[in-house]
Amino acid sequence: MSGKTTGTVAGEQRASLRRRPFFWIIAAVIAAFALAPAIGNNVELRESLLLATVYITLASNLNIMLGYAGYINFGSIVFFGLGGYTCVYLISAHGWPLAAAELAAGVAVSFLALVFGLGILRLRGAFFALATIGINEAVQAFVSNFEPWGGAAGLYLPTTIFKPLGGPMRALWVVYFLLVAVMGASLYLSYAVKSSKFGLGLIAIGQNEDAAVVLGVPAPLYKALAYSLSAFLPALAGGLYFFKSAFIQPSDAFDLNLSTEAMVIVMLGGRSTVTGAAIGAYLYEELRGYLLTSQTFSSFQLVISGALLLLIVLFVPGGLMGWIYGRWPRGKEVLE
Amino acid sequence: MSALLAVEDLGKSFGGLRAVSGLSFTVNEGEIVGLIGPNGAGKSTVFNLINGVFVPDAGRVQFRGGNITGETPYRVARHGIARTHQVVQPLAELTVLENCTVGACFGRENLPLYRARAVAREAAAFVGLEDRLAMPAAQLTIAGKKRLELARALSAQPLMLLLDEELAGLNATEIERMLEVIRSIRARGIAILIIEHLMQAIMGLSDRIVVLNSGQKLAEGAPAEIANNPAVIEAYLGDPALAASLHGGAPA
Amino acid sequence: MLGIIAAIIDGVLIGSVYGLAALGLTLIWGVMEVINLTHGAAIVAGMFGLYLLANAVHIPPYATLPLILIGGFLVGIVLYWISVHRLMGRPPLMILLSTFAVNLVVIGLGTAAWGTDLFNVPVSLPSVTWGRYTFSGTHILAAALTTAIAGALYLFLYHTKLGKAVRAVANNREAAELAGIPTTRVLSLSFGLGVALAGAAGMLIATMFPFTVLSGDAYQLKSFVVTALGGLGNPAGALVGGIALGLIEGFAGQFMPVSWTLVIEFVLFVAVLIIFPRGIFAFRRA
């Protein structure tokens, strides 16, 4: 019985997650994100890492549906946008403190996702993907018409909003640290799901849903839970992101590009892996930074995302991590 | 012996075509019952009706005295009925052990992950896959995938197994080994309902045989009775090889 | 009352064009069970095809239709080989992603070239007055041309050898392969046809309404709604579903601002998919 287990199935004992090296790798990533800009008060680095925390949060959560359960969610940005709207609205119209507004946004969006999920997750495969495109379009159209949320013009927060956090300069740091926390929670969530029975069920669904159901995986429930679970942290990230901007409008909140980028990131890093979503986000962010500063490429961002996605799907469907595991099979045990 | 599974007056149509109608039979605890019939007789449909892949239009499926008619496949699995597929359905990118772990986790016992792994290991070893635990299922040979189907079903620790043509596509040596495995499953007290085209094999294996023709029960009885039943022989006349094998000839 | 009846008839005219677009989507699904997410891009390409040919080359607007059909067909065949062929037999997720990626590239190139400005192709046709009602000539001609194209497609599928091969492949690819039909060629041809139909629909829409590079998403969603109503993979259902959607839009437009249309359509889409997974107008597949 030499076959050491790989992938989703870990050691025989009920080992706690903390005893495995990957737990500490995630902790180190979080610490690096928090400390790197704080040392020396580097605001420029902070702003660039802030975008990375959003990418990692979106990609990690998308990975739960796209990577584990094998369901394409073209509208994952809806969670981010609705979270942002709920949070900004509660603060601006009802004067809620940030923490309460954030929590309400996360809970409300997850609940909405559960309701959506129970409905549309009865649809299989391609039909589900179509419905998620529709959700994005419909929610954006709805919000653009929804007067309490400012319609197409959006919502503003007054600058006094940063006072409770110690003024604008300090507030930006607070929001950044909170986003790092949300990113860390996303990585741990992604890891915990993957190491659990729930995650095994999702991965079985992703491999062959009919077979999984016959084996006893309660697919409709699991899919709806996964969909709802993957909504919570992006909603928090959306709340923080738009709180920081002090402004939200439909075209920013439901920017389909961000949904697309999250998908490119997951595929680039390697779907169904925790590390892949993080490394993919980092690589993509670097690439994007280069493209945006390059005169020739800045207007071709969509073209390049698309071409990159196509090349990955055609030639490296396992992404970066799939490529690494192919050459170094034991890598699965260290980098989940 | 009490009936473990009782199918009563089962019926199912697809777009006006009656796939199964008025079918009743039972499987007792610890028994092996063979389900035979010409191609298109509705054998696999019966499996799909029992484990909830299809919802029957008429009739009832009773398991351990409870009504499980029309329950979803994952609930049926939880009751303790596991099955294999005629066309193998591996979870391709997962390893052999992971495939079996899914079976153990979501089967009758609903085990937590860490205990499911031990059960999965044992089931994989039982069918002779212990040296391929870490191999992705997609890389197994066809015989290996057939074994995996069986190991995964066993991992669920079922009370009853539905085996759909486990021997199809295997060579003579592999068939012999698979038959050994099936006999030792029965020795564990698990009831088996088995669909098989190899007459010699199923006649030797089964305690009782149910013959289906055009979705209806044509005959039922001990293997020897079935082999001499004129109605059965007549139904198979269009298929001389099968008719010959009913009389103890070589497998088709 | 006057307004409603006129709006409903106009809705039927416009809806038939939605049906044509959906025909392209449903044909591809019916033959190879692939959801073509370049569909929206193909519609937009048809719109800008009209714009370029009519404005830059000065071809009469309706004379561009055959050119767009042929161009769409050829581009579709190329798209099949780039984004679909290698991925046949892999998880369906992969083809969704690859066609989505091509869509991004096309839309990205379009945005780089034309930005997101509103374009309009002036087509002067006399309007038709019937009793107290007046209908736009472009709408009537679009419906007529749609009928002609759909009729031609019917003749092709049911009365030519190649068309029968397409249906055979749709019915059972393996059996068709065994019967000696070159299935890969049939698949690429069907993809070409699907893209050509989407392009033609885009061209006809552009004769009726202004458009932007990003219009494809909204019309792609309409095609999804139509196929959901008519049953995915069902050509006749696509046409009926298109007309039904046009009717609903025409009717709803009387009671609420146009900006709500997308919300209504989406709700309809999901509701129909859940309640009638095979479509409200699901006829037996040909």
Side-chain angles (χ1 to χ4, degrees):
Chain A
M1 202 81 67
S2 62
K4 186 99 168 60
T5 58
T6 54
T8 54
V9 179
E12 205 90 357
Q13 279 76 40
R14 188 182 200 170
S16 92
L17 293 180
R18 259 172 294 148
R19 297 241 290 276
R20 290 156 63 183
F22 193 65
F23 180 92
W24 298 105
I25 294 176
I26 295 178
V29 170
I30 298 171
F33 263 85
L35 293 177
I39 295 168
N41 205 17
N42 188 339
V43 172
E44 200 176 313
L45 181 62
R46 183 193 70 198
E47 291 307 298
S48 129
L49 287 179
L50 183 135
L51 209 53
T53 64
V54 171
Y55 277 133
I56 293 178
T57 302
L58 290 178
S60 293
N61 286 284
L62 175 65
N63 192 34
I64 295 178
M65 283 305 289
L66 175 64
Y68 300 169
Y71 271 72
I72 300 193
N73 182 0
F74 284 109
S76 62
I77 197 65
V78 166
F79 305 146
F80 181 75
L82 282 178
Y85 259 105
T86 315
C87 184
V88 169
Y89 172 73
L90 288 174
I91 293 171
S92 73
H94 298 282
W96 286 33
L98 177 64
E102 272 286 281
L103 195 65
V107 171
V109 173
S110 294
F111 179 74
L112 193 69
L114 188 65
V115 174
F116 273 154
L118 288 172
I120 67 171
L121 283 160
R122 289 175 49 184
L123 309 171
R124 298 271 296 261
F127 294 91
F128 171 78
L130 297 189
T132 61
I133 295 180
I135 282 194
N136 195 53
E137 302 275 334
V139 169
Q140 187 170 351
F142 175 81
V143 172
S144 303
N145 285 293
F146 191 56
E147 281 313 316
W149 283 2
L155 289 174
Y156 288 87
L157 289 175
T159 44
T160 54
I161 207 73
F162 296 125
K163 274 216 180 98
L165 297 177
M169 299 308 266
R170 227 182 129 248
L172 293 182
W173 280 104
V174 172
V175 168
Y176 173 73
F177 289 130
L178 288 173
L179 274 169
V180 170
V182 169
M183 173 199 80
S186 298
L187 289 172
Y188 278 122
L189 176 71
S190 194
Y191 178 44
V193 167
K194 188 173 180 181
S195 318
S196 71
K197 179 173 164 175
F198 174 57
L200 182 63
L202 288 182
I203 291 172
I205 291 170
Q207 292 288 310
N208 181 338
E209 186 164 353
D210 288 320
V213 166
V214 166
L215 286 168
V217 179
L221 176 69
Y222 269 36
K223 285 187 291 180
L225 283 179
Y227 190 64
S228 173
L229 198 63
S230 69
F232 185 73
L233 290 163
L236 294 190
L240 291 167
Y241 185 84
F242 290 105
F243 174 78
K244 173 180 170 279
S245 324
F247 169 56
I248 187 166
Q249 63 177 6
S251 55
D252 292 342
F254 305 107
D255 183 0
L256 203 57
N257 283 346
L258 213 50
S259 268
T260 307
E261 287 171 331
M263 267 190 303
V264 175
I265 288 169
V266 170
M267 295 303 293
L268 176 67
R271 74 198 153 89
S272 219
T273 66
V274 181
T275 318
I279 296 184
Y282 178 75
L283 288 178
Y284 187 82
E285 156 77 359
E286 286 289 301
L287 177 75
R288 191 171 166 278
Y290 171 73
L291 293 180
L292 281 181
T293 49
S294 148
Q295 203 67 34
T296 341
F297 289 127
S298 59
S299 53
F300 288 97
Q301 204 196 326
L302 263 188
V303 182
I304 289 162
S305 305
L308 188 62
L309 181 60
L310 184 64
L311 291 175
I312 296 167
V313 170
L314 288 176
F315 302 110
V316 227
L320 184 67
M321 294 312 289
W323 186 82
I324 291 177
Y325 294 157
R327 266 145 203 79
W328 183 45
R330 278 188 55 95
K332 278 188 187 179
E333 292 160 43
V334 186
L335 296 171
E336 302 267 349
Chain B
M1 277 203 283
S2 61
L4 181 67
L5 176 83
V7 170
E8 294 164 15
D9 204 25
L10 207 59
K12 178 74 185 175
S13 302
F14 295 104
L17 200 79
R18 286 168 73 163
V20 173
S21 68
L23 179 68
S24 302
F25 66 89
T26 59
V27 178
N28 296 322
E29 276 173 23
E31 196 178 26
I32 297 186
V33 173
L35 192 57
I36 66 170
N39 278 328
K43 302 179 299 275
S44 288
T45 306
V46 172
F47 273 22
N48 285 330
L49 291 171
I50 292 173
N51 90 324
V53 173
F54 300 147
V55 177
D57 302 330
R60 278 151 57 90
V61 180
Q62 301 239 65
F63 188 65
R64 302 177 82 194
N67 186 3
I68 62 163
T69 319
E71 285 195 9
T72 57
Y74 52 87
R75 300 222 26 191
V76 173
R78 202 56 57 82
H79 287 306
I81 299 180
R83 75 171 283 182
T84 66
H85 297 90
Q86 185 181 357
V87 179
V88 290
Q89 304 276 335
L91 306 172
E93 291 171 18
L94 296 190
T95 64
V96 167
L97 180 63
E98 286 164 345
N99 266 273
C100 295
T101 308
V102 174
C105 263
F106 298 97
R108 182 170 65 91
E109 297 279 359
N110 199 15
L111 295 173
L113 200 51
Y114 69 105
R115 285 184 53 203
R117 248 173 245 131
V119 172
R121 254 173 217 284
E122 202 226 328
F126 189 78
V127 303
L129 284 175
E130 65 273 22
D131 53 344
R132 276 164 279 181
L133 286 177
M135 185 185 275
Q139 291 174 18
L140 291 171
T141 60
I142 188 67
K145 285 176 185 158
K146 289 266 178 189
R147 278 160 184 270
L148 179 61
E149 283 275 322
L150 194 54
R152 218 166 51 173
L154 281 177
S155 300
Q157 299 179 288
L159 301 169
M160 174 161 193
L161 264 180
L162 310 178
L163 300 182
D164 197 346
E165 299 212 20
E166 272 297 299
L167 306 179
L170 302 186
N171 66 34
T173 334
E174 289 162 349
I175 287 175
E176 223 19 77
R177 286 168 65 186
M178 188 62 92
L179 286 176
E180 251 169 62
V181 172
I182 295 174
R183 284 198 194 93
S184 46
I185 292 171
R186 188 246 288 272
R188 291 176 151 200
I190 298 173
I192 297 174
L193 182 62
I194 179 168
I195 295 176
E196 198 45 74
H197 271 301
L198 292 181
M199 282 305 146
Q200 205 180 30
I202 200 163
M203 289 291 174
L205 208 55
S206 308
D207 300 312
R208 263 189 313 129
I209 298 220
V210 173
V211 188
L212 273 190
N213 191 25
S214 309
Q216 287 173 309
K217 186 160 80 176
L218 186 66
E220 180 178 350
E225 293 165 34
I226 293 296
N228 295 311
N229 183 321
V232 175
I233 292 168
E234 193 180 334
Y236 277 128
L237 276 182
D239 200 342
L242 272 174
S245 63
L246 276 174
H247 284 292
Chain C
M1 272 320 282
L2 205 79
I4 291 189
I5 292 172
I8 285 178
I9 296 177
D10 198 38
V12 170
L13 297 176
I14 298 169
S16 67
V17 183
Y18 296 162
L20 184 65
L23 206 51
L25 193 70
T26 220
L27 182 74
I28 292 173
W29 172 269
V31 174
M32 60 192 93
E33 301 221 337
V34 163
I35 298 268
N36 171 25
L37 290 181
T38 60
H39 187 67
I43 293 174
V44 169
M47 293 170 164
F48 278 86
L50 170 67
Y51 172 76
L52 287 180
L53 291 171
N55 278 25
V57 195
H58 302 295
I59 296 176
Y62 288 98
T64 64
L65 183 58
L67 296 175
I68 288 173
L69 277 168
I70 294 168
F73 179 69
L74 296 176
V75 170
I77 289 179
V78 173
L79 282 183
Y80 171 82
W81 287 101
I82 292 176
S83 62
V84 179
H85 183 68
R86 263 185 76 102
L87 301 171
M88 290 300 272
R90 300 258 288 279
L93 179 129
M94 291 301 183
I95 292 182
L96 276 171
L97 285 174
S98 69
T99 55
F100 179 73
V102 172
N103 183 62
L104 288 180
V105 173
V106 174
I107 297 299
L109 288 174
T111 319
W114 291 293
T116 53
D117 300 340
L118 205 60
F119 285 80
N120 194 13
V121 179
V123 180
S124 52
L125 276 185
S127 52
V128 176
T129 308
W130 175 56
R132 290 168 300 177
Y133 309 126
T134 301
F135 297 105
S136 154
T138 54
H139 293 199
I140 293 174
L141 192 53
L145 288 169
T146 292
T147 314
I149 295 173
L153 183 70
Y154 174 81
L155 289 178
F156 167 72
L157 286 177
Y158 285 84
H159 294 281
T160 66
K161 208 176 154 206
L162 197 54
K164 285 175 185 163
V166 170
R167 280 164 48 221
V169 172
N171 218 331
N172 186 334
R173 197 184 312 158
E174 278 165 28
E177 181 90 54
L178 289 176
I181 295 172
T183 51
T184 303
R185 265 158 65 192
V186 170
L187 292 182
S188 66
L189 172 120
S190 311
F191 205 87
L193 276 180
V195 171
L197 291 171
M203 176 260 156
L204 290 174
I205 290 168
T207 64
M208 303 190 285
F209 305 112
F211 52 91
T212 77
V213 172
L214 304 179
S215 295
D217 286 341
Y219 287 105
Q220 179 168 282
L221 180 63
K222 286 190 207 294
S223 290
F224 293 158
V225 180
V226 169
T227 44
L229 287 168
L232 203 50
N234 178 347
L239 288 176
V240 180
I243 291 171
L245 180 66
L247 265 175
I248 294 167
E249 278 190 1
F251 192 71
Q254 298 295 302
F255 302 101
M256 58 188 70
V258 186
S259 52
W260 281 96
T261 325
L262 272 177
V263 182
I264 311 266
E265 285 179 355
F266 167 72
V267 172
L268 194 70
F269 171 62
V270 172
V272 170
L273 274 182
I274 290 169
I275 304 168
F276 307 97
R278 307 192 50 196
I280 290 180
F281 307 109
F283 306 106
R284 294 286 300 280
R285 219 172 87 181

